[in-house]
Amino acid sequence: MIAILKKELWSYFGNWSAWVIIAAFSLIATLFLFFFDNDSNIFEIGMASLQSYFVLVPWLLMFIIPALSMKTFAEEQQTGTLNWLFSQPLKISELVAGKFLSVWIVGILCLIPSLIYLYTVYVLGVPAGNIDLGMTFGSYIGLIILIAAFSAVGILASSLSQNQIMAYLLGVFMCFIMYFGIEQLASYKLLGGADFILQNIGFYQHFLGFTRGLIDCKDVAYFVLVIGASLVLSNHFINKKK
């Protein structure tokens, strides 16, 4: 698993793809938070808070994480190197875990530049430092876990696909459905009491608790279950290609 993790990380950082993705992610977030005229602009909100950032980032991650994960298995199959990996002395579960960790790590690195936003908001607060650090810390924990969930779903999409384009589109679609689609479907209240159950199947309600500074064991357990299920399914579909 460690060998696969190193190989994947080198493939991301060795050809500048990870650096470009991190830079693009940070640039888009900066434009929305400080320059563009929109509801996420911190200066227009007039509050020393990064909540608009934590609302914006999941939408960016829906496109960024599938871009990272699409190559994990779809590219291997497309280029024919997947059969070579099967011949190596490693388990399929180790292969899946190594690729998952590499996507997760790069996704987390996308958040590092946001520490500049945190410092900026901290300094601009009146008085300086007038920011809810508990809520901010909880939101960062939530984002790290959400990145793991998106990464696992992206890996699953790549294991189901024959090429990278299909893997990317399927990954974006699955992440969108899990984060926003299920939540919106439940908001129409078409199923009566079952809407609450449907609402809790999606990512949004569980991530929302973290943005309020609440790290609930139920929310953590939910994401662990989703991540585990996605990786197990990925392992199953890759085994079928063996």
Side-chain angles (χ1 to χ4, degrees):
M1 185 184 74
I2 299 299
I4 293 296
L5 174 60
K6 290 179 179 178
K7 168 185 172 294
E8 291 297 311
L9 288 177
W10 175 250
S11 72
Y12 287 125
F13 290 99
N15 62 4
W16 297 93
S17 60
W19 300 108
V20 171
I21 288 175
I22 293 172
F25 180 90
S26 302
L27 176 62
I28 294 171
T30 301
L31 290 175
F32 273 94
L33 292 177
F34 296 100
F35 294 98
F36 289 165
D37 184 12
N38 64 94
D39 293 336
S40 298
N41 191 298
I42 292 176
F43 294 123
E44 292 188 8
I45 293 172
M47 293 178 60
S49 173
L50 279 180
Q51 285 307 103
S52 58
Y53 174 75
F54 299 121
V55 172
L56 173 67
V57 166
W59 290 95
L60 299 180
L61 292 174
M62 283 183 208
F63 298 94
I64 295 295
I65 299 301
L68 292 169
S69 63
M70 66 180 184
K71 64 183 287 294
T72 51
F73 288 109
E75 183 187 44
E76 301 280 10
Q77 183 171 352
Q78 195 173 7
T79 57
T81 54
L82 189 60
N83 291 326
W84 176 81
L85 286 173
F86 289 153
S87 68
Q88 301 305 305
L90 57 95
K91 299 177 181 178
I92 300 299
S93 58
E94 295 172 339
L95 179 61
V96 171
K99 288 179 176 290
F100 162 72
L101 288 175
S102 67
V103 176
W104 190 16
I105 289 172
V106 177
I108 292 173
L109 292 177
C110 289
L111 302 179
I112 299 300
S114 70
L115 296 178
I116 299 174
Y117 311 150
L118 177 59
Y119 176 76
T120 301
V121 172
Y122 185 89
V123 171
L124 292 178
V126 180
N130 183 28
I131 182 174
D132 191 335
L133 292 177
M135 185 179 294
T136 303
F137 175 76
S139 298
Y140 271 112
I141 296 296
L143 278 182
I144 291 172
I145 296 175
L146 185 64
I147 290 171
F150 280 156
S151 300
V153 171
I155 294 289
L156 176 58
S158 186
S159 70
L160 288 168
S161 305
Q162 302 294 325
N163 57 72
Q164 293 187 67
I165 295 176
M166 185 184 297
Y168 178 73
L169 294 177
L170 182 59
V172 171
F173 175 76
M174 292 171 66
C175 288
F176 174 81
I177 291 298
M178 289 301 296
Y179 181 78
F180 187 71
I182 293 177
E183 172 67 21
Q184 282 301 296
L185 184 61
S187 69
Y188 290 121
K189 303 187 183 302
L190 300 175
L191 304 176
D195 285 320
F196 176 76
I197 299 175
L198 180 63
Q199 196 175 45
N200 281 275
I201 293 175
F203 292 169
Y204 181 79
Q205 284 298 319
H206 297 280
F207 174 68
L208 196 61
F210 289 99
T211 63
R212 296 168 179 163
L214 303 173
I215 303 177
D216 195 322
C217 292
K218 293 180 181 179
D219 294 329
V220 175
Y222 164 81
F223 280 112
V224 170
L225 179 62
V226 169
I227 294 166
S230 298
L231 295 181
V232 168
L233 286 173
S234 299
N235 187 84
H236 170 72
F237 289 119
I238 295 301
N239 261 314
K240 290 183 67 176
K241 296 179 181 181
K242 192 171 183 180

